[in-house]
Amino acid sequence: MSVIDEVLAANATYARQFSLAHLPGPPARRLAIIACMDARMTLEQILGLQTGDAHIIRNAGGIVTEDALRSLLISHHLLGTQEVMIINHTDCGMVKFRDEELRARLQQASGTATVAPACFHAFSDLSENVRQQVQKIRSHPWIPAHLSVRGFIYDVHTGQLHEVAATPN
Amino acid sequence: MSVIDEVLAANATYARQFSLAHLPGPPARRLAIIACMDARMTLEQILGLQTGDAHIIRNAGGIVTEDALRSLLISHHLLGTQEVMIINHTDCGMVKFRDEELRARLQQASGTATVAPACFHAFSDLSENVRQQVQKIRSHPWIPAHLSVRGFIYDVHTGQLHEVAATPN
C-alpha cells in the first residue's frame, strides 16, 4: 500500500467527521505565512491557528521567491491579509548543500542540463537569510508600506519562535 | 494587539509542551505535497499526517511553478521523498480573477509596472489545472520516472479528496 493510499484512507475518516463547510475563503485572522516546507513544522499547532485563520505559503527554505511574492500579492490584494510572518528554522537542509553542487549532481545523473529552476536558494547565514526575505517583500512596489512584515526563526529542538526582523518598526 | 503578537503568545504555550526535538529532517513517510495556500486546508488533519511525516509546499493555487519544482527537487534528491500529491480545491480564489485584470489593478494603484511576478497563474478549469500540474512534474528531466505523482481536488464543503490524475499508472 502506497503512502498516498494510506493518507486517502485517513481522509475518508476526516471527511466523515467534517464540520468546516461554513468557512469563508478569506483568512479569518488576516494573516499570511511564508515558511519552509520542512516536515517538522505543523504551522497551525506552532502558532495556535485554527483551520480558516491564515494563508500558508511554503517552499524549500521559506524563501521570498517570485512565486511566494505572487502568492502574497494575491493573499493581500484579493483576500485581505494584513500581516505577514516569514518563518525559517534551525537545522535547515538549505544550509547543507551548495547550489552548484546540486545542479552538477542532477545534470550528471540525468545527462540533462535544464533551464529551470535557475537557482536552488541554498544559504549559509540563517538570520541574514530571514532579514533578506523580509526586505524582498518590503521593497516590492506592490506591497503597501502599512503591511506588517516580521521574520522569525523556529527552533526545531525547542518549538520556540525567535524574531529577527520586523518592518515597519 | 496584532495577530502576530497573538500567535507568538500561542507559540510560547506550544513550546512549553514541546516533545518533538527527536524528529529527523527527512520526512518519515517520504511524502511531498504541493497544495494551495488556502486557509481552509490544515493538510496534516485532512491527510492524517503527524508532524515530521511530509514536506508541504504551498502557493496560490497549488501550482507547479519553477519554485515548487525547485522545492520538489530538493525534497526528492536531498531528502528522499518518493511520492507526490498535488492538491487543488473547490471554491478556489484562482478561478475568480484574471491575470491581466489583477496586473492592471496593481499597476494603477501603485503607479508602477513591475517585472515580477510575470504571471499570477489564474485558471478556469479546476480538473484540467490539476492534470497540467501533474504533467509539469512528470515532464521535468530531473524527476525520475518511478516517482509516484498523483493529483487531487479537495472539496472544501465535504472535506473529501477526489483523485483526478495519476502517473505512472
Side-chain angles (χ1 to χ4, degrees):
Chain A
M1 195 177 191
S2 74
V3 170
I4 293 179
D5 288 328
E6 290 171 2
V7 303
L8 291 179
N11 175 251
T13 301
Y14 175 81
R16 277 196 293 275
Q17 303 160 349
F18 186 73
S19 61
L20 301 173
H22 62 285
L23 288 179
R29 296 176 78 183
R30 300 188 180 190
L31 176 65
I33 298 158
I34 298 175
C36 185
M37 68 179 178
D38 195 280
R40 292 166 289 184
M41 295 194 290
T42 296
L43 290 162
E44 291 86 346
Q45 291 180 0
I46 289 172
L47 303 171
L49 297 171
Q50 301 295 312
T51 301
D53 277 351
H55 280 148
I56 302 181
I57 299 157
R58 302 181 68 171
N59 62 30
I63 308 294
V64 178
T65 55
E66 175 175 333
D67 191 45
L69 272 168
R70 173 186 72 86
S71 300
L72 183 60
L73 289 166
I74 291 168
S75 174
H76 172 67
H77 290 284
L78 296 183
L79 292 157
T81 54
Q82 299 297 329
E83 298 181 50
V84 183
M85 298 180 82
I86 293 168
I87 303 178
N88 287 192
H89 63 92
T90 60
D91 193 40
C92 187
M94 299 296 286
V95 302
K96 300 176 183 173
F97 74 95
R98 291 168 60 95
D99 270 40
E100 54 268 39
E101 292 166 359
L102 179 56
R103 179 166 301 279
R105 170 180 156 183
L106 294 176
Q107 287 182 356
Q108 189 164 25
S110 66
T112 317
T114 71
V115 175
C119 171
F120 285 105
H121 292 290
F123 57 84
S124 55
D125 183 323
L126 186 57
S127 298
E128 178 58 25
N129 189 64
V130 173
R131 283 189 286 270
Q132 286 179 8
Q133 307 322 308
V134 169
Q135 288 307 319
K136 278 194 264 184
I137 294 176
R138 184 50 66 211
S139 62
H140 195 282
W142 291 349
I143 296 289
H146 69 267
L147 197 78
S148 176
V149 183
R150 296 166 65 177
F152 299 88
I153 294 171
Y154 174 75
D155 187 326
V156 297
H157 293 116
T158 67
Q160 286 181 298
L161 284 167
H162 300 279
E163 187 157 10
V164 293
T167 76
N169 288 309
Chain B
M1 195 176 190
S2 74
V3 171
I4 293 179
D5 288 328
E6 290 172 2
V7 302
L8 291 178
N11 175 251
T13 302
Y14 176 80
R16 278 195 294 275
Q17 303 160 349
F18 186 73
S19 62
L20 300 174
H22 63 285
L23 288 178
R29 296 175 77 182
R30 299 190 179 188
L31 177 65
I33 298 158
I34 299 175
C36 185
M37 67 179 177
D38 195 278
R40 291 166 288 183
M41 295 194 289
T42 295
L43 290 162
E44 291 86 345
Q45 291 179 1
I46 289 171
L47 302 171
L49 297 171
Q50 301 294 312
T51 301
D53 277 351
H55 280 149
I56 302 181
I57 300 157
R58 302 181 68 171
N59 61 29
I63 308 293
V64 177
T65 55
E66 175 174 334
D67 191 46
L69 272 168
R70 173 186 73 86
S71 300
L72 184 60
L73 290 166
I74 291 168
S75 174
H76 172 67
H77 289 285
L78 296 182
L79 292 157
T81 54
Q82 299 296 328
E83 299 181 50
V84 183
M85 297 180 82
I86 293 168
I87 304 178
N88 287 192
H89 63 91
T90 60
D91 193 41
C92 187
M94 300 296 286
V95 302
K96 299 175 183 174
F97 74 95
R98 291 168 61 95
D99 269 41
E100 52 269 38
E101 292 165 358
L102 179 56
R103 178 167 300 279
R105 170 180 155 182
L106 294 176
Q107 287 182 356
Q108 188 164 25
S110 67
T112 318
T114 70
V115 175
C119 171
F120 285 105
H121 292 290
F123 56 84
S124 55
D125 184 322
L126 185 57
S127 298
E128 178 56 26
N129 189 65
V130 173
R131 283 190 286 270
Q132 286 179 7
Q133 308 321 309
V134 170
Q135 287 307 318
K136 278 194 263 184
I137 295 177
R138 184 51 64 213
S139 61
H140 195 283
W142 291 349
I143 296 290
H146 69 267
L147 197 78
S148 176
V149 183
R150 296 166 64 176
F152 299 87
I153 294 171
Y154 175 75
D155 187 325
V156 297
H157 293 116
T158 67
Q160 285 182 300
L161 284 168
H162 300 279
E163 186 157 11
V164 293
T167 77
N169 289 309

